[in-house]
Amino acid sequence: MLDEDRGIVRLEQQIAAPPAKVWEALTTPGLHAKWWAAGDIAAEPGHRFELDMGRFGQQPCEILEAVEHRKLRYSFGPSWTLAWEVEENDGGTRLVLEHSGFDLQDPQGRFAFTAMGAGWRDEVLPRLARLVEG
């Protein structure tokens, strides 16, 4: 779902795997690189790292909150925040992503909002699910 009033991308992905396995993919550098981007991510508040976004360059990040197997929130790039909620559901995991911080008054911000929303929904979250389920 794209919340154009608040500039937030909020999406859910059901994954046929336990929350611990999803958490591992969200917080382990080698696995993270397989479904999204390489970087030295760690589930430790205050940890700073960069994600290699290819043609978009190295994006600075900082872990803002980490509750093992439940919630991970970090700054991403110049102004965004990614919040991941991991919840056991129907023998698997319900993963919720909230990507916020888009400036919808700026044409580039609006473009990023639309493009990233589609990218998360159509490519990145399904790729994460396939990795964890496989």
Side-chain angles (χ1 to χ4, degrees), residues 71-86:
K71 186 173 187 177
L72 182 67
R73 189 169 59 90
Y74 54 92
S75 63
F76 169 61
S79 62
W80 296 309
T81 300
L82 299 179
W84 300 92
E85 294 176 24
V86 180

Side-chain angles (χ1 to χ4, degrees), residues 3-21:
D3 182 340
E4 293 195 32
D5 293 332
R6 299 185 306 149
I8 296 173
V9 173
R10 184 175 170 84
L11 300 167
E12 294 184 18
Q13 180 75 43
Q14 185 65 32
I15 301 175
K21 195 167 181 183

Side-chain angles (χ1 to χ4, degrees), residues 1-131:
M1 173 184 97
L2 300 181
D3 182 340
E4 293 195 32
D5 293 332
R6 299 185 306 149
I8 296 173
V9 173
R10 184 175 170 84
L11 300 167
E12 294 184 18
Q13 180 75 43
Q14 185 65 32
I15 301 175
K21 195 167 181 183
V22 174
W23 181 260
E24 182 181 19
L26 291 173
T27 61
T28 304
L31 293 174
H32 196 275
K34 289 181 179 182
W35 65 269
W36 188 33
D40 187 30
I41 193 167
E44 301 167 14
H47 175 70
R48 294 174 186 251
F49 61 103
E50 292 185 338
L51 289 178
D52 182 356
M53 302 307 297
R55 66 183 177 146
F56 299 108
Q58 299 289 323
Q59 297 299 313
C61 302
E62 181 179 353
I63 302 293
L64 304 172
E65 182 180 7
V67 179
E68 189 173 16
H69 300 170
R70 300 281 303 146
K71 186 173 187 177
L72 182 67
R73 189 169 59 90
Y74 54 92
S75 63
F76 169 61
S79 62
W80 296 309
T81 300
L82 299 179
W84 300 92
E85 294 176 24
V86 180
E87 178 182 297
E88 188 171 357
N89 185 32
D90 293 331
T93 302
R94 176 179 165 258
L95 180 65
V96 178
L97 165 66
E98 188 170 285
H99 186 167
S100 61
F102 293 94
D103 178 2
L104 300 183
Q105 302 306 311
D106 175 56
Q108 288 182 326
R110 181 162 290 281
F111 174 79
F113 175 72
T114 302
M116 292 175 126
W120 283 120
R121 182 190 65 235
D122 299 338
E123 296 174 30
V124 182
L125 290 177
R127 189 166 49 237
L128 169 60
R130 284 191 304 272
L131 174 71

